[in-house]
Amino acid sequence: TYTSSGTTSFAEIRELIRAGRYSEAELKIDATPAGERGAEWNYLKGCLLVQRGYYYDAMKYIEVACYLDPGNAEYREAKRRMEEGGKQYGSGYRTTTGSDSFCSACDCCSSLICADCCCECMGGDLIPCC
């Protein structure tokens, strides 16, 4: 079920994310009325945040989606991939097609950002400028 009963079209937001039109998707998802922010909204918000590189925040939204709809295999798979580590962020959530896929330098950068977030959660700082 990708369309809410109200004014928000989650299918449209999915398509915007899939097309790499993150700013448009963010505007639509943030404009969704609070009463329509269920499991699908949380999942799509998490997917959008993953695409923008905000993995910690994305995981919180994905977890809420799983809590609200524990039987949804798509949400559980997204959570599992995020729990596996930084390399999965690029390969598991990029929705581009064709030859414009992630390169190894991007995977390395994503892993470093994730490692820095983990270090900061523990009171350290892997990358002092961030």
Side-chain angles (χ1 to χ4, degrees):
T1 167
Y2 300 133
T3 306
S4 74
S5 59
T7 58
T8 304
S9 169
F10 293 125
E12 182 181 1
I13 293 170
R14 278 179 176 264
E15 187 54 37
L16 290 170
I17 294 170
R18 197 171 291 120
R21 296 166 51 190
Y22 307 127
S23 295
E24 291 176 66
E26 187 171 31
L27 287 173
K28 286 191 177 288
I29 205 156
D30 289 344
T32 303
E36 296 180 27
R37 295 183 178 188
E40 179 73 3
W41 184 90
N42 279 279
Y43 172 73
L44 292 174
K45 180 74 173 181
C47 289
L48 181 60
L49 290 170
V50 165
Q51 294 292 350
R52 293 203 172 240
Y54 299 113
Y55 304 116
Y56 178 77
D57 292 333
M59 183 61 160
K60 290 191 283 187
Y61 284 100
I62 301 284
E63 286 175 339
V64 170
C66 289
Y67 174 78
L68 293 174
D69 188 358
N72 189 302
E74 182 181 25
Y75 304 165
R76 287 193 323 262
E77 177 64 13
K79 183 178 181 225
R80 184 192 65 77
R81 285 186 176 179
M82 289 193 72
E83 289 172 341
E84 283 182 359
K87 186 169 178 117
Q88 289 297 322
Y89 295 143
S91 62
Y93 292 94
R94 266 300 171 194
T95 55
T96 56
T97 57
S99 62
D100 57 341
S101 61
F102 264 159
C103 62
S104 61
C106 294
D107 288 338
C108 179
C109 185
S110 295
S111 296
L112 284 172
I113 291 170
C114 182
D116 183 54
C117 289
C118 291
C119 285
E120 288 175 1
C121 287
M122 300 292 194
D125 196 12
L126 181 66
I127 306 171
C129 65
C130 299

